[in-house]
Amino acid sequence: MGRLGLGGHFGGLAARLDGVFGADGVFAHDRLRFVDFVDDVEELLEEMAWQEGGDKKAADGFEEYMLRHYSG
């Protein structure tokens, strides 16, 4: 992301995702509901799109797509 000039948007991302994935890289369902995680990521994407001068709607559909394809 840094090479794309977007590194500044992700300064706090690691802190926001801390504890979401286990040491094995698997999503930690016992720590956070997947639905809440996807909602948080969509908000981050909307915020980034807005900061880049784009439209927050650029991230619309992310949550629906993720839940349709990856939730059990």
Side-chain angles (χ1 to χ4, degrees):
M1 290 307 215
R3 288 183 290 170
L4 296 173
L6 300 172
H9 297 290
F10 298 100
L13 183 59
R16 291 175 79 172
L17 296 178
D18 186 38
V20 174
F21 295 93
D24 57 1
V26 175
F27 183 78
H29 293 276
D30 59 331
R31 296 184 204 149
L32 180 68
R33 293 181 331 149
F34 185 70
V35 173
D36 294 334
F37 169 72
V38 171
D39 185 52
D40 289 347
V41 172
E42 183 177 54
E43 287 180 24
L44 287 170
L45 292 172
E46 288 173 346
E47 185 178 312
M48 187 174 77
W50 180 79
Q51 289 176 0
E52 286 297 309
D55 188 349
K56 289 174 71 172
K57 293 183 182 192
D60 278 355
F62 172 81
E63 184 174 9
E64 182 181 334
Y65 176 86
M66 293 298 290
L67 294 176
R68 190 175 335 120
H69 287 85
Y70 298 107
S71 90

